[in-house]
Amino acid sequence: MHTLTERDIRASLINVSQRERASLLLPALDELAWDRLDYLGWRDRKQPMVGCVVTFLDDEPTGIVLRQSEGRIRARPQCSWCEDVTLPNDVVMFSARRAGKAGRNGDTVGTLVCAEFQCSANVRRPAPPAYIGFDQVAERERRILALRGHVDNFLRDIRDSA
């Protein structure tokens, strides 16, 4: 992931109003390990049910704001982005308003995602060997590419629905 500034991040948000964009609390950007992130995801500290995700689509930073569902998930869900089945963290349902007119009309899209957006760390953990000769490095790279594809597709769906 390329390093982003506060200005880059705020300008990238495609499914919020100017007021909502300005009111978001950003993470401590200088403390992030940008080279180990496949996307930037964080929770707004003053709005605990709000999360934000920024990635690069078509070489441009593109971000969305998500809202966590208030309902409880009964079974142990799998994150739709990192697809980790041995997660050390919670997975929650988030919904995001679509960009443009569709979003202003109330159209939303939902997904199950790691509650604190730990997907980048999850896909980098060594996978348990599935068989003799299992290539853990290749599996790690496959999982990283799959994560990037899932995040990109979700954000494209939000962006391109306008």
Side-chain angles (χ1 to χ4, degrees):
M1 175 93 183
H2 302 293
T3 304
L4 295 168
T5 65
E6 179 178 344
R7 183 177 180 162
D8 294 334
I9 293 168
R10 291 190 192 282
S12 76
L13 298 171
I14 59 172
N15 68 339
V16 294
S17 68
Q18 292 287 357
R19 184 181 57 78
E20 291 169 310
R21 181 178 291 141
S23 72
L24 287 171
L25 289 180
L26 301 184
L29 300 176
D30 56 337
E31 296 175 11
L32 296 175
W34 291 96
D35 60 329
R36 298 189 53 78
L37 293 177
D38 301 294
Y39 66 91
L40 174 61
W42 76 97
R43 293 288 201 124
D44 187 322
R45 293 181 312 277
K46 70 179 178 187
Q47 302 175 73
M49 299 298 275
V50 172
C52 302
V53 170
V54 179
T55 192
F56 280 82
L57 294 181
D58 306 322
D59 295 322
E60 291 292 323
T62 305
I64 59 171
V65 172
L66 305 116
R67 303 214 185 286
Q68 181 180 336
S69 169
E70 292 184 23
R72 303 283 297 166
I73 299 171
R74 295 178 192 254
R76 175 90 175 139
Q78 176 179 314
C79 176
S80 298
W81 292 358
C82 67
E83 299 178 327
D84 198 321
V85 295
T86 59
L87 287 175
N89 51 272
D90 289 332
V91 173
V92 297
M93 174 63 103
F94 279 105
S95 64
R97 245 185 352 226
R98 291 190 186 272
K101 184 178 179 185
R104 287 189 296 276
N105 289 338
D107 194 0
T108 62
V109 179
T111 189
L112 291 166
V113 180
C114 294
E116 299 298 328
F117 304 104
Q118 307 97 317
C119 298
S120 292
N122 292 341
V123 298
R124 284 170 171 74
R125 282 195 334 264
Y131 50 85
I132 295 174
F134 180 73
D135 188 344
Q136 287 182 314
V137 174
E139 177 61 12
R140 178 179 176 255
E141 291 304 313
R142 186 203 65 77
R143 292 177 65 193
I144 290 170
L145 289 174
L147 169 61
R148 290 177 182 165
H150 294 309
V151 173
D152 288 358
N153 289 338
F154 188 77
L155 269 73
R156 279 185 209 286
D157 187 24
I158 301 293
R159 180 192 70 184
D160 296 345
S161 62

